[in-house]
Amino acid sequence: VRSVLVLGLFACTAASGEPLAAQTPKQAEEKSELRFREFSPDGKFKVLMPGRPKDSSVGKGGLEINIWVVEKGANCVFLVSSTLMPINKQLSDDEVAETLDKSATGQVNGMNGKETKRREITLEKKHQGLQVEAEIPRGANAPNGAKSVSRIYLIDSRLYQIMALGDDEFVKTRCKRRP
């Protein structure tokens, strides 16, 4: 029996009490009262999400990309995606790193963003990953502009992406790694 992979890596701290710029009081309240709950759509992984995710799965380039999204307020989005990659062999660490690198670059470019920080990470002391931070300009992807923090892992033949996207204050003060 395969163990369930836990991907619950981002959470929000309690609100600082300061008003959030360019938001209504209701939007600020929604962002400050995030309560994370376990979500496991297919039993292969678990992630903590601040609400019931909406399934926004798509097919792209011959791949089925399963995406689950929770939107909180005008500029606060959490998502997790799982993509079965066409991999028929065990990849070397270098091949995994290359796949992660291409995925991170594609993620940022897909949002017309600018990468600001990247670092290698490990999940459960055995799965290579990348943490990527980016600035997203004003536009269709982020009407007011945004910052994103994401973690990307390739485990067996499945690519997982976990992302928090929001305004600058949200990402700087509330997105933190869960212990």
Side-chain angles (χ1 to χ4, degrees):
V1 176
R2 184 176 169 182
S3 63
V4 176
L5 179 64
V6 179
L7 299 174
L9 300 173
F10 291 104
C12 292
T13 62
S16 63
E18 298 175 21
L20 300 174
Q23 295 182 342
T24 67
K26 182 177 181 185
Q27 290 167 337
E29 181 181 330
E30 285 175 349
K31 283 170 61 169
S32 68
E33 294 183 6
L34 297 176
R35 295 192 191 342
F36 284 74
R37 294 176 181 89
E38 190 176 284
F39 173 68
S40 182
D42 59 9
K44 293 182 179 153
F45 71 93
K46 292 190 267 188
V47 65
L48 297 176
M49 298 288 277
R52 184 182 173 110
K54 175 184 169 190
D55 187 337
S56 300
S57 297
V58 297
K60 185 174 185 179
L63 299 175
E64 183 177 328
I65 304 170
N66 298 300
I67 305 170
W68 299 274
V69 179
V70 174
E71 293 184 44
K72 294 288 187 181
N75 197 14
C76 176
V77 176
F78 295 84
L79 72 84
V80 61
S81 71
S82 169
T83 306
L84 184 60
M85 304 294 286
I87 299 171
N88 297 323
K89 64 175 184 138
Q90 181 68 32
L91 298 179
S92 69
D93 288 348
D94 287 343
E95 290 171 317
V96 171
E98 181 181 356
T99 301
L100 293 171
D101 180 65
K102 288 179 179 179
S103 297
T105 300
Q107 181 188 83
V108 173
N109 290 345
M111 296 184 292
N112 297 315
K114 177 184 174 191
E115 187 175 309
T116 57
K117 191 173 187 180
R118 179 186 292 213
R119 70 182 178 98
E120 293 179 1
I121 56 176
T122 304
L123 179 66
E124 297 179 344
K125 299 182 182 180
K126 61 183 172 183
H127 302 293
Q128 286 178 258
L130 284 179
Q131 178 169 309
V132 179
E133 297 180 27
E135 294 178 353
I136 313 305
R138 290 177 187 250
N141 292 318
N144 298 318
K147 305 273 184 175
S148 70
V149 179
S150 65
R151 291 188 174 198
I152 305 168
Y153 301 97
L154 180 64
I155 301 169
D156 297 325
S157 59
R158 195 166 292 276
L159 182 74
Y160 295 96
Q161 298 184 64
I162 306 103
M163 180 186 293
L165 179 82
D167 59 42
D168 190 45
E169 180 182 340
F170 170 74
V171 171
K172 282 184 180 176
T173 64
R174 289 183 191 56
C175 288
K176 296 194 175 184
R177 186 181 186 336
R178 268 245 198 255

